[in-house]
Amino acid sequence: TLTQKSNSDKPMHIPISTGLIDKVTGKEVVSTKVLELKEETQTFEFPGLENDVVPSMLRGFSAPVKLVSSTGDVDEESLAFLAASDTDGFNRWEAGQRLFTSLTFQEMKGEKSDDTTGYVMEAVERTLASEDMDPSIKAYALTLPSESTLAEEIADGEVDPVALRDARGAVRIAIARKFQKELQTIYDSLTKEMSADEEFKVDAESVGQRRLRNTVLGYLTCIKETGDEQKAAADLATAHYDSATGMTDKMAALGALASMDGEGADARDAALQRFYDEAEGDALVLNKWFSVQALANLPDVLDRVKALIEHPDFTLSNPNRCRSLISAFTMNAAPFHAENGEGYEFIGKMLAELDALNPQISSRMGSSLIQWRRFGDNRATLMKAELQKLSEMKLSDDLFEIVQRGLK
């Protein structure tokens, strides 16, 4: 039974593409069928079903609507089932994202549910075990929602980027530890299969294999709590870098290495130097080199960014180079929004210097400081303080407009 609610005075005509998945066999027993919702409430019947089923609805983006249960509760058991068994790639991904999101927020609040944890692990287990799933879809199904996506689900004034990163990281590590053996098996199998083919291919199958292998690498290299684990993660990422046949694989390895610390620090520094040397001055490749360091998950990332400002290959007069380092740092939410305000202070200083050279870039970058309403009182006060400092300087019209908007 479906009920629609909208701002329209009359019921709208809403096409809802739906398939039914058998809860016992996991097979699709009713292929995609469009349900024409034309009344405020309608009941659709599917006779002849042998077992209970789970509906997969709004397939193929059939209607721009939001689907919620009549009780308002989230059926996590059904989400776990769809995340592993749905034949519609997007719905499978969406179900997994909703489960990951629920568990991450529970972790952040210190209220992690055994049921939700079980559903997430069940969905991941089924996804890993699936042999007929497209590798690209499997990679997407295993990928957690980004920090920015998760932040969009949080009300204004309550976003805590540091707690969000910690919670998301904890969920990721829990999955990686529980399925480390299975992940390693998939990684080794893909590595063997891909190394046997000397020709670099860009067909869907090859792209999917690289995407899945890089996703699995991300899980395996996030296990790095002990010295031995740090070394093992660094060795794996280095081997991945060594065998890379394209920039996608190389950046996946470098991204993992850039966040290495402890026993993995030497491997991190060696990989960054090697990537820089191999770039041979290519501007686009060097932009990637700056960005991967600005986006690293390290406790001293701000100090590293400040050091890179002084690098011979960095200049504020190059817009793309500014974006690759300074703008990239503002997207690294946890250090940028550090509670001591050092991230805001750094960006405020950079905006003042950059505005004299390129008002268009400084105004775009200034937008990172005007979202203070999204965060708690402490961060909001610190962000507004930087905006106030800027407002007292001689600014370009472009940046002045952004600063004044932020202060309103």
Side-chain angles (χ1 to χ4, degrees), residues 366 370 372-373 384 386-393 395-408:
I370 68 174
W372 53 267
R373 293 176 182 83
K384 285 189 287 185
E386 292 304 319
L387 289 171
Q388 186 62 44
K389 288 181 190 176
L390 288 168
S391 72
E392 296 167 0
M393 301 178 186
L395 303 176
S396 67
D397 291 342
D398 294 341
L399 182 56
F400 179 79
E401 181 180 348
I402 295 295
V403 170
Q404 290 305 309
R405 189 194 310 168
L407 287 173
K408 288 182 180 178

Side-chain angles (χ1 to χ4, degrees), residues 110-138:
E111 302 171 353
K112 191 163 66 171
S113 160
D114 289 341
D115 288 342
T116 305
T117 302
Y119 292 137
V120 167
M121 297 306 176
E122 177 190 351
V124 172
E125 183 176 21
R126 290 188 181 186
T127 299
L128 291 173
S130 176
E131 296 181 356
D132 57 355
M133 190 184 297
D134 179 88
S136 277
I137 292 178
K138 181 176 285 193

Side-chain angles (χ1 to χ4, degrees), residues 309 314-327 330 346-366 390 393-396 398-399:
I309 292 289
F314 182 82
T315 172
L316 283 175
S317 62
N318 184 323
N320 289 333
R321 194 55 48 84
C322 285
R323 293 189 191 99
S324 70
L325 182 62
I326 303 175
S327 293
T330 66
F346 168 72
I347 292 300
K349 177 176 179 294
M350 287 293 100
L351 286 175
E353 293 183 25
L354 182 59
D355 192 49
L357 299 171
N358 195 324
Q360 288 77 28
I361 297 297
S362 66
S363 61
R364 292 195 192 105
M365 203 176 296
L390 288 168
M393 301 178 186
K394 183 174 177 56
L395 303 176
S396 67
D398 294 341
L399 182 56

Side-chain angles (χ1 to χ4, degrees), residues 121 124 128 144 169-184 216-223:
M121 297 306 176
V124 172
L128 291 173
L144 270 62
V171 171
R172 193 179 187 210
I173 291 171
I175 293 172
R177 287 196 177 280
K178 183 172 179 63
F179 299 106
Q180 186 173 7
K181 182 179 179 181
E182 293 86 346
L183 289 164
Q184 188 67 57
V216 172
L217 174 73
Y219 273 106
L220 292 172
T221 54
C222 78
I223 302 174

Side-chain angles (χ1 to χ4, degrees), residues 5-205:
K5 293 182 180 180
S6 70
N7 294 327
S8 175
D9 294 333
K10 297 180 180 179
M12 302 179 71
H13 180 188
I14 305 176
I16 302 178
S17 295
T18 303
L20 300 182
I21 315 295
D22 191 300
K23 290 187 73 171
V24 176
T25 65
K27 302 296 183 182
E28 186 176 69
V29 291
V30 174
S31 57
T32 303
K33 178 180 179 180
V34 179
L35 307 181
E36 307 282 353
L37 180 61
K38 300 179 181 180
E39 306 296 333
E40 185 174 338
T41 298
Q42 278 180 250
T43 298
F44 299 90
E45 297 183 355
F46 297 85
L49 299 174
E50 294 183 6
N51 304 305
D52 288 341
V53 296
V54 176
S56 168
M57 308 181 76
L58 294 175
R59 288 180 162 185
F61 307 103
S62 63
V65 298
K66 184 176 181 179
L67 192 68
V68 296
S69 68
S70 58
T71 63
D73 297 329
V74 177
D75 186 352
E76 294 182 342
E77 184 178 4
S78 293
L79 288 177
F81 183 81
L82 291 174
S85 304
D86 203 333
T87 56
D88 183 89
F90 175 79
N91 279 12
R92 172 180 276 175
W93 172 83
E94 175 71 9
Q97 295 295 289
R98 290 176 66 186
L99 280 175
F100 289 143
T101 298
S102 180
L103 185 58
T104 300
F105 287 155
Q106 289 177 15
E107 178 76 38
M108 189 166 66
K109 296 174 183 176
E111 302 171 353
K112 191 163 66 171
S113 160
D114 289 341
D115 288 342
T116 305
T117 302
Y119 292 137
V120 167
M121 297 306 176
E122 177 190 351
V124 172
E125 183 176 21
R126 290 188 181 186
T127 299
L128 291 173
S130 176
E131 296 181 356
D132 57 355
M133 190 184 297
D134 179 88
S136 277
I137 292 178
K138 181 176 285 193
Y140 287 126
L142 291 171
T143 302
L144 270 62
S146 66
E147 291 173 20
S148 59
T149 298
L150 291 166
E152 291 174 3
E153 300 292 323
I154 302 176
D156 284 351
E158 298 180 12
V159 178
D160 183 342
V162 176
L164 194 56
R165 171 166 295 183
D166 290 344
R168 182 181 182 274
V171 171
R172 193 179 187 210
I173 291 171
I175 293 172
R177 287 196 177 280
K178 183 172 179 63
F179 299 106
Q180 186 173 7
K181 182 179 179 181
E182 293 86 346
L183 289 164
Q184 188 67 57
T185 297
I186 291 174
Y187 183 85
D188 292 342
S189 175
L190 287 168
T191 299
K192 182 178 180 180
E193 185 177 349
M194 293 167 64
S195 62
D197 193 346
E198 297 180 358
E199 181 184 357
F200 182 82
K201 297 179 179 179
V202 292
D203 59 277
E205 179 67 20

Side-chain angles (χ1 to χ4, degrees), residues 233-349:
D235 289 346
L236 178 62
T238 300
H240 194 97
Y241 187 101
D242 292 340
S243 64
T245 55
M247 187 59 75
T248 301
D249 288 353
K250 187 173 286 189
M251 287 306 300
L254 191 65
L257 284 162
S259 295
M260 294 288 174
D261 211 350
E263 294 298 317
D266 289 343
R268 174 199 66 212
D269 295 341
L272 288 169
Q273 184 61 49
R274 179 176 167 186
F275 187 89
Y276 176 82
D277 294 339
E278 291 172 350
E280 296 181 337
D282 185 285
L284 295 178
V285 179
L286 284 177
N287 286 343
K288 292 180 181 293
W289 182 76
F290 280 103
S291 290
V292 77
Q293 296 178 79
L295 293 169
N297 184 15
L298 290 173
D300 62 344
V301 65
L302 177 56
D303 291 335
R304 294 174 178 275
V305 170
K306 289 179 178 178
L308 287 168
I309 292 289
E310 305 301 325
H311 194 278
D313 285 303
F314 182 82
T315 172
L316 283 175
S317 62
N318 184 323
N320 289 333
R321 194 55 48 84
C322 285
R323 293 189 191 99
S324 70
L325 182 62
I326 303 175
S327 293
F329 173 72
T330 66
M331 292 184 284
N332 195 348
F336 174 54
H337 293 286
E339 288 192 272
N340 59 15
E342 288 185 349
Y344 307 143
E345 184 179 353
F346 168 72
I347 292 300
K349 177 176 179 294

